[in-house]
Structure formats: structure tokens, C-alpha cells
Amino acid sequence: MKGGSSLIFLIIVVIVFYFLMIVPQRRQQKKRAEMMKQIGPGARVMTASGLYAEVVETRGDIVVAQIAEGVNVEMDQRAVVRVIEEGPAQYNDEVDELPEADDNVVSGVSETVDQVDDELTTSDAERQFDEHHKQHGES
């Protein structure tokens, strides 16, 4: 009977170990996964180093966050310890019905996009350089 009681004791130790170590770890992993789903543009987060930032963009495991006006940092998403405030609602894949597009509106939008695209291709520095040369008559 001595061998049977030690086997039962070993089984009890394994069960207790499972409930004390594995179950809480799984709960923590689920909680962390839920928090990661909340990270999106506009979310306010706290990093592991104690910095508060606003998420600008996410790319896979990388989070781009703004820590000050004009100061964006890239960090691994595991550096986010806590989501302080969720961002705006994420895009919902389930769309019931889309309205029909008006051809006049679509063509007007594409023309506007082309104009904006042309303006964006030239940087501010290039524009200033061109204006400087025009003003001073240099070519």
C-alpha cells in the first residue's frame, strides 16, 4: 500500500500545481490578449517605462505612439502595460448594406484626389527652393 499512497500523493501534487500555476497564467494571458485588441489609433496607453502615449498606428507587433507633440516612437506592443483609454471604435467587418455610389460624385472625388496627389508629390522644401529661385531669377 505504500506505493499506492505515494502515487496518489504525486497525483494530488500535480493537480494542486496545475490549479496554482497554470490556470492563473492562462487567465492572465487571456486578459492581456483582450487588452491588445483594444490597442488601436487614438487609444491612450501606458508603457512599461511609465510613459503615457497616444497610439498613432499599429503595424503587426509594432505600435507607433505619440509621446509629445510631433514626437512619435515605435515600440513593441509588449511594451504597452495598460490601456488607459480606448480609441475610437475599430472598423466593423460586418456591413449590412452599402449605399449606391453616384457617378458624378465618384468622378469629382477622383479629380480632387488627383489634385491633392499632385500637391503632395512636391515636398515643402522643394516648393520653397523653387520659389526662392523664381524670386531671385536663378534657374
Side-chain angles (χ1 to χ4, degrees):
M1 281 289 208
K2 188 174 183 180
S5 64
S6 64
L7 182 63
I8 292 174
F9 178 74
L10 181 63
I11 291 173
I12 291 173
V13 167
V14 168
I15 291 173
V16 168
F17 176 78
Y18 178 79
F19 281 105
L20 290 178
M21 300 297 281
I22 308 290
V23 172
Q25 184 178 8
R26 284 190 180 168
R27 259 190 229 129
Q28 186 178 13
Q29 287 174 343
K30 285 181 183 179
K31 186 178 176 182
R32 177 109 177 125
E34 287 298 318
M35 183 188 74
M36 288 299 149
K37 288 180 184 178
Q38 296 174 353
I39 296 176
R44 188 135 171 81
V45 296
M46 185 181 89
T47 66
S49 61
L51 292 173
Y52 288 89
E54 183 175 328
V55 176
V56 176
E57 135 184 50
T58 56
R59 295 184 304 242
D61 288 344
I62 296 175
V63 174
V64 179
Q66 182 177 23
I67 57 175
E69 185 77 27
V71 181
N72 292 346
V73 293
E74 288 184 359
M75 66 182 90
D76 191 275
Q77 79 178 39
R78 291 175 292 201
V80 175
V81 175
R82 184 170 72 203
V83 176
I84 307 299
E85 183 179 310
E86 287 185 44
Q90 297 294 323
Y91 174 74
N92 189 358
D93 290 335
E94 299 175 15
V95 177
D96 292 335
E97 198 173 302
L98 293 174
E100 292 295 319
D102 184 10
D103 289 336
N104 294 333
V105 172
V106 172
S107 66
V109 169
S110 64
E111 290 170 6
T112 305
V113 169
D114 291 339
Q115 291 171 352
V116 170
D117 191 34
D118 290 342
E119 291 174 9
L120 291 177
T121 55
T122 308
S123 70
D124 288 336
E126 290 173 334
R127 276 191 231 119
Q128 289 175 354
F129 183 77
D130 291 340
E131 288 175 15
H132 175 76
H133 281 283
K134 287 178 185 176
Q135 290 174 355
H136 297 287
E138 300 170 6
S139 40

